[in-house]
Amino acid sequence: MTGKKQDNIEATTRVGLCDLTPTQLKVLEGVNSGLLNKQIAFDLGIAEATVKAHMTAVMRKLNVHNRTQAAIAARAMSLEPSAATR
């Protein structure tokens, strides 16, 4: 990836990460840890459909198209998987 394109992705991600709600951050941490929606829902005490809704919002805010891209964006912004979700 070219330097300019990478800078644009990082800038977009940085803005998006700041816009996430606390629950959206927790869901993103779960995805970043490799958990399934069902596992994230159980850990957070919410419905699986709610996790899906949060993931849709996260992907929109981070300007990505899938879970893998969301996890890559999270790692690019130094959002490490939490020990609690490993």
Side-chain angles (χ1 to χ4, degrees), residues 3-29:
K4 190 173 186 178
K5 190 172 184 180
Q6 182 67 28
D7 289 343
N8 288 341
I9 290 171
E10 287 179 6
T12 301
T13 303
R14 198 172 298 120
V15 169
L17 209 52
C18 293
D19 292 338
L20 297 180
T21 67
T23 305
Q24 289 170 348
L25 277 171
K26 289 176 186 174
V27 169
L28 184 57
E29 286 175 357

Side-chain angles (χ1 to χ4, degrees), residues 11-75:
T12 301
T13 303
R14 198 172 298 120
V15 169
L17 209 52
C18 293
D19 292 338
L20 297 180
T21 67
T23 305
Q24 289 170 348
L25 277 171
K26 289 176 186 174
V27 169
L28 184 57
E29 286 175 357
V31 169
N32 195 21
S33 297
L35 299 179
L36 302 172
N37 286 347
K38 191 172 195 174
Q39 294 168 312
I40 296 168
F42 178 81
D43 289 347
L44 298 180
I46 59 178
E48 187 175 354
T50 305
V51 172
K52 290 178 184 180
H54 283 305
M55 272 310 299
T56 299
V58 166
M59 291 187 294
R60 189 178 316 110
K61 288 179 180 180
L62 295 181
N63 196 28
V64 297
H65 301 287
N66 59 49
R67 293 168 65 92
T68 302
Q69 290 176 340
I72 291 168
R75 289 186 185 190

